[in-house]
């Protein structure tokens, strides 16, 4: 059948997601909520989770208003046994799982000398192990679906390191390495699972306001700096960019001009970028 004249391209794009069972962690706000709403409009079935039950409930309300079938659960992605049980429950509820968006994450700001071990461990538990837990729990189901996709959210700080973000950098660089290796494994084994690593730049979310900080740091000042100077893009723009990349099967998705520019900057300058960045950091960071 030929395409009707004037048929919006969005209709063709929606067909890729329509009827697919999509799992999204960290769906209570920010990029997670925007992904859920976007997929709901495209006709996907949703398994949404977050540790923030109030935010999650609002996301569910919005998605159900679009006619989506939604399963929602409180979930701490750092709790491995809970994630494994959750995956089984989602699979039992829908009968299949097609796409998993490991989006949940937290932030911490503090230099290594001022950070406590527990601060670094907490970031790694959520931002790295949460991704690993979600990937491992759902991967057999994605393979079985015959049309699976793993989408792991790293960060611009998974491409470039900055002072005061050693724990966050470590977690997000780890997500990148884990995800890129997984993609190669799926290709080599010819499993029917695509893999995408996402690197958002400055997105207008509550991540800075909800972050934890090392002792002595003015949390309000830093959060204000992030919101006014770094957060340039909406969660809705981020979600659209991610889903465009997923539909096209891209292995890496960069969100925002700054993510693309800094990725190029790091790749062309090598380790020398750290000396150049230091001059900028001294001038602009609070």
């Amino acid at each position: 059948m030929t395409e009707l004249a004037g048929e919006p391209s969005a209709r063709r794009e929606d067909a890729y997601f329509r009827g697919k069972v999509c799992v999204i962690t960290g769906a209570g706000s920010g990029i997670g909520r925007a992904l859920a709403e976007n997929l709901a409009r495209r006709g996907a079935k949703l398994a949404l989770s977050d540790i923030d039950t109030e935010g999650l409930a609002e996301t569910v309300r919005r998605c159900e208003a679009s006619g989506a079938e939604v399963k929602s659960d409180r979930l701490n992605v750092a709790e491995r046994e809970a994630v494994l049980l959750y995956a089984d429950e989602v699979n039992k509820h829908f009968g299949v799982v097609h796409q998993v968006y490991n989006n949940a994450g937290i932030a911490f700001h503090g230099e290594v000398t001022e950070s406590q071990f527990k601060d670094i461990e907490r970031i790694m538990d959520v931002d790295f192990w949460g991704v690993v837990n979600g990937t491992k729990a759902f991967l057999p189901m994605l393979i079985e679906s015959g049309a699976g996709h793993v989408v792991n959210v790293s960060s611009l700080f998974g491409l470039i390191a900055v002072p005061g973000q050693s724990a966050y950098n470590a977690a997000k660089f780890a997500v990148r390495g884990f995800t890129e290796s997984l993609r190669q494994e799926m290709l080599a084994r010819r499993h029917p699972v695509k893999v995408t690593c996402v690197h958002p730049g400055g997105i207008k979310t509550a991540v800075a306001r909800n972050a934890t900080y090392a002792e002595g740091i003015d949390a309000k000042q830093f959060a204000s700096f992030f919101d006014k100077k770094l957060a340039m893009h909406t969660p809705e723009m981020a979600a659209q960019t991610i889903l465009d990349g997923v539909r096209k099967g891209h292995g890496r998705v960069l969100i925002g001009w700054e993510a693309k520019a800094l990725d190029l900057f790091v790749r062309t300058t090598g380790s020398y970028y750290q000396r150049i960045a230091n001059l900028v950091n001294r001038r602009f960071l609070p």
Side-chain angles (χ1 to χ4, degrees):
M1 177 181 290
T2 58
E3 181 179 317
L4 296 176
E7 181 181 15
S9 60
R11 189 176 303 175
R12 299 193 304 275
E13 296 174 5
D14 290 351
Y16 183 81
F17 299 98
R18 187 174 299 116
K20 296 289 180 65
V21 175
C22 301
V23 178
I24 306 172
T25 66
S29 64
I31 294 175
R33 173 178 287 174
L35 279 170
E37 290 188 85
N38 195 313
L39 285 166
R41 293 192 297 269
R42 295 172 185 264
K45 301 178 181 179
L46 304 174
L48 307 179
S49 65
D50 202 300
I51 199 169
D52 173 14
T53 55
E54 291 186 6
L56 180 61
E58 174 61 18
T59 303
V60 171
R61 185 192 67 78
R62 297 186 186 191
C63 292
E64 290 182 337
S66 296
E69 178 183 350
V70 182
K71 172 179 170 54
S72 66
D73 296 270
R74 183 188 184 280
L75 180 69
N76 183 344
V77 297
E79 297 175 353
R80 182 170 302 147
E81 293 304 318
V83 175
L84 293 171
L85 178 61
Y86 172 70
D88 288 338
E89 291 175 348
V90 170
N91 192 47
K92 182 178 179 180
H93 179 87
F94 289 104
V96 65
V97 179
H98 297 102
Q99 299 174 11
V100 174
Y101 296 79
N102 288 307
N103 164 75
I106 57 175
F108 170 79
H109 184 80
E111 296 184 6
V112 175
T113 53
E114 308 301 327
S115 302
Q116 303 298 313
F117 284 108
K118 62 180 177 62
D119 297 323
I120 300 172
E121 289 172 349
R122 180 170 177 265
I123 293 296
M124 293 300 295
D125 283 346
V126 175
D127 290 3
F128 174 62
W129 282 110
V131 168
V132 175
N133 293 340
T135 300
K136 286 280 289 177
F138 283 101
L139 191 56
M141 303 164 195
L142 298 177
I143 294 173
E144 185 179 359
S145 76
H149 206 130
V150 177
V151 184
N152 291 337
V153 178
S154 177
S155 169
L156 169 60
F157 292 165
L159 300 170
I160 183 171
V162 296
Q165 295 292 328
S166 52
Y168 192 73
N169 276 139
K172 294 303 186 177
F173 268 80
V175 168
R176 173 187 169 188
F178 174 79
T179 306
E180 291 182 0
S181 179
L182 173 67
R183 184 169 189 262
Q184 294 177 58
E185 292 170 4
M186 295 297 101
L187 290 169
R189 297 296 181 182
R190 297 184 179 180
H191 286 310
V193 177
K194 297 177 182 179
V195 180
T196 300
C197 192
V198 178
H199 297 273
I203 312 299
K204 297 176 182 178
T205 70
V207 64
R209 293 190 298 276
N210 294 336
T212 54
Y213 297 83
E215 186 176 353
I217 293 178
D218 188 330
K220 290 184 178 180
Q221 180 186 10
F222 188 86
S224 176
F225 172 79
F226 177 86
D227 288 341
K228 293 179 180 180
K229 301 294 185 181
L230 302 181
M232 295 174 281
H233 312 291
T234 66
E236 290 73 22
M237 174 271 196
Q240 182 63 47
T241 304
I242 292 169
L243 294 179
D244 285 345
V246 167
R247 182 176 57 83
K248 295 173 183 177
H250 290 172
R252 175 183 289 186
V253 173
L254 304 178
I255 302 176
W257 64 265
E258 70 284 7
K260 297 174 183 177
L262 288 173
D263 176 53
L264 180 61
F265 170 60
V266 171
R267 287 191 285 114
T268 54
T269 61
S271 62
Y272 191 70
Y273 87 83
Q274 296 169 41
R275 291 183 177 272
I276 300 173
N278 182 54
L279 299 177
V280 178
N281 294 329
R282 286 182 177 180
R283 181 174 180 181
F284 291 106
L285 287 183

